[in-house]
Amino acid sequence: MKDKIKIVTIGGGSSYTPELIEGFIKRYNELPVGEIWLVDIESGKEKLEIVGALAKRMVKKAGVPIDIHLTLDRREALKDADFVTTQLRVGLLDARIKDERIPLSHGVIGQETNGAGGMFKAFRTIPVILDIDKDMAELCPNAWLINFTNPAGIVTEALLKYGKNKKVIGLCNVPIGMEKAVANLLDVDHSRINMTFAGLNHMVFGKEIYLDGKNVTEEVINSIAEGKMGSIVKNIKDFEWSPEFIKALGMMPCPYHKYYFQREDMLKEELAEFSKGETRAEVVQRLEKDLFELYKDENLDIKPPQLEKRGGAYYSDAACRLINSIYNNKRDIQPVNTRNNGAIEGIDDNSAVEISCIITKDGPKPIATGKLPVAVNGLVQTIKSFEKLVVDAAVEGNYNKALLALTINPLISSEKTAKILLDELLEAHKDYLPQFNK
């Protein structure tokens, strides 16, 4: 490994970037980052300049010798990079608003990473990520690509199947949110909690929970059953689970399971927000506006606490932790999206899964977990089938596969509804879907 590390962040104008900078600053003594390149596109130039100026103030205040570079030239940035992180949003938040509002207008859940909205975010994102992967193969073939662009599991699936690079890891903040929620519940520091995760992105289960190495799964499950577990992520309302269901499940579900196990409640809540013009995407758009006003303040030289109101809090810190563990060959355990390699029985070896891994200098080594419990295996398999079809449809621009994918998704009620949604969303996003407009 080089003495000075070069990091490239694509989507550098994101509101999450200050958290990323903070993560590298606080780890500087063991992770010697020499330069960070923040890359964006022309329409994100203003935000890039605001965030970049804040990043420079943060580095100066910390007194660490990290050079911050801002550019709209991705290829210039990628040359000889060691780690590349991707946090982009094709079509910006306006596209997310359509992903949520169009399904809801037909009485179907509208969500950024699940169902129809998740599929279209994947359709817009996959060609761009594969383009980045192609540039990396040419300009920094030894670099690790750490993706936390949603839907992270589907994007990782696409990279594993169609990408040129083998050094690819997907990352999500949900498992960290689950660990932190358990730590809060038990009133202990997060570092004392260890969880065994298995499943898919936004479809992951906490199978076993340990406090200082002691198995406390049953105690935590009972507390969840009693309604003592608070909110895990900011973007999903906190509904209680019925005690009988949670005890029978015997694992900690992730917040996104509510879209499948509490679909009526979630849809009712979303429709109420939709009618008031307050879908999550519209709320986030207002939050972003306020954050960027804060970021403009020339006296601000730290990550502002308001950033944690965004649903992706801890994403960036998780990325810094992961990069640190690879660079220093820490062999600690972290949940990531990676190639299954037999870790979960019944899922293809080459498919992306979200699973606890030992993090080494050669990347993540998944910890074998065997078969998923029969109660959840069917749902996980259905979502994996959906993900695979979405990836092929995105790469091929294949309308028929897109319709098939949407129809088999559990959040869509029928083939007819799927076709209506597909046609409307293809029209709404046509500027960002060249593969479907041949």
Side-chain angles (χ1 to χ4, degrees), residues 330-389:
K330 288 209 164 189
R331 303 189 68 82
D332 55 346
I333 295 173
Q334 296 180 34
V336 298
N337 288 267
T338 188
R339 206 180 292 276
N340 183 36
N341 280 343
I344 301 177
E345 282 182 41
I347 293 179
D348 292 352
D349 284 358
N350 290 320
S351 268
V353 293
E354 189 163 279
I355 193 158
S356 297
C357 296
I358 298 166
I359 308 298
T360 76
K361 68 181 188 327
D362 302 314
K365 308 294 178 195
I367 298 170
T369 187
K371 287 181 181 173
L372 291 171
V374 67
V376 301
N377 185 54
L379 177 59
V380 170
Q381 294 287 356
T382 298
I383 295 299
K384 179 43 72 182
S385 300
F386 164 74
E387 289 183 354
K388 287 181 169 185
L389 284 165

Side-chain angles (χ1 to χ4, degrees), residues 243-380:
E244 299 83 357
F245 170 76
I246 282 294
K247 286 181 178 178
L249 188 65
M251 299 183 292
M252 183 175 174
C254 81
Y256 288 86
H257 284 117
K258 292 183 173 176
Y259 289 108
Y260 300 91
F261 297 144
Q262 296 187 7
R263 188 173 5 167
E264 286 177 14
D265 287 337
M266 294 299 276
L267 179 58
K268 190 174 162 190
E269 187 75 38
E270 282 195 354
L271 288 170
E273 290 166 351
F274 170 74
S275 66
K276 292 186 286 187
E278 290 180 6
T279 61
R280 178 63 190 171
E282 287 158 304
V283 170
V284 165
Q285 202 168 43
R286 289 197 291 274
L287 274 172
E288 289 256 288
K289 199 172 169 217
D290 294 345
L291 278 172
F292 276 94
E293 283 306 311
L294 276 176
Y295 293 173
K296 283 179 190 173
D297 180 357
E298 289 179 9
N299 297 311
L300 180 72
D301 53 11
I302 58 165
K303 178 192 83 176
Q306 292 92 326
L307 181 54
E308 291 193 7
K309 289 182 184 166
R310 285 286 273 111
Y314 317 126
Y315 254 120
S316 310
D317 199 58
C320 298
R321 179 177 78 161
L322 177 61
I323 289 169
N324 190 23
S325 293
I326 294 170
Y327 179 80
N328 289 300
N329 195 31
K330 288 209 164 189
R331 303 189 68 82
D332 55 346
I333 295 173
Q334 296 180 34
V336 298
N337 288 267
T338 188
R339 206 180 292 276
N340 183 36
N341 280 343
I344 301 177
E345 282 182 41
I347 293 179
D348 292 352
D349 284 358
N350 290 320
S351 268
V353 293
E354 189 163 279
I355 193 158
S356 297
C357 296
I358 298 166
I359 308 298
T360 76
K361 68 181 188 327
D362 302 314
K365 308 294 178 195
I367 298 170
T369 187
K371 287 181 181 173
L372 291 171
V374 67
V376 301
N377 185 54
L379 177 59
V380 170

Side-chain angles (χ1 to χ4, degrees), residues 403-427:
L403 178 60
L404 182 60
L406 203 50
T407 302
I408 67 167
N409 188 285
L411 299 183
I412 311 301
S413 51
S414 75
E415 178 214 350
K416 285 193 176 72
T417 304
K419 191 167 190 324
I420 291 166
L421 292 175
L422 179 61
D423 291 343
E424 264 193 53
L425 284 158
L426 279 171
E427 178 60 29

Side-chain angles (χ1 to χ4, degrees), residues 76-131:
E76 177 199 14
L78 285 173
K79 193 163 179 2
D80 300 325
D82 297 296
F83 293 92
V84 178
T85 70
T86 42
Q87 52 183 36
L88 49 103
R89 187 184 290 282
V90 180
L92 309 176
L93 281 166
D94 288 341
R96 177 175 174 178
I97 290 171
K98 292 173 187 174
D99 285 342
E100 294 181 7
R101 291 193 70 85
I102 289 171
L104 285 166
S105 73
H106 295 283
V108 175
I109 279 174
Q111 212 279 321
E112 181 191 19
T113 61
N114 290 258
M119 181 167 97
F120 271 82
K121 190 167 197 305
F123 283 171
R124 297 191 300 276
T125 306
I126 287 169
V128 176
I129 292 276
L130 289 175
D131 247 6

Side-chain angles (χ1 to χ4, degrees), residues 107-169:
V108 175
I109 279 174
Q111 212 279 321
E112 181 191 19
T113 61
N114 290 258
M119 181 167 97
F120 271 82
K121 190 167 197 305
F123 283 171
R124 297 191 300 276
T125 306
I126 287 169
V128 176
I129 292 276
L130 289 175
D131 247 6
I132 293 166
D133 169 83
K134 191 171 151 197
D135 281 350
M136 285 178 65
E138 178 192 343
L139 300 165
C140 52
N142 296 315
W144 282 96
L145 173 58
I146 314 287
N147 172 67
F148 34 109
T149 297
N150 270 325
I154 305 180
V155 170
T156 307
E157 183 80 25
L159 283 162
L160 293 178
K161 182 168 184 183
Y162 290 103
K164 293 175 177 292
N165 300 294
K166 297 289 174 260
K167 293 182 165 183
V168 169
I169 305 172

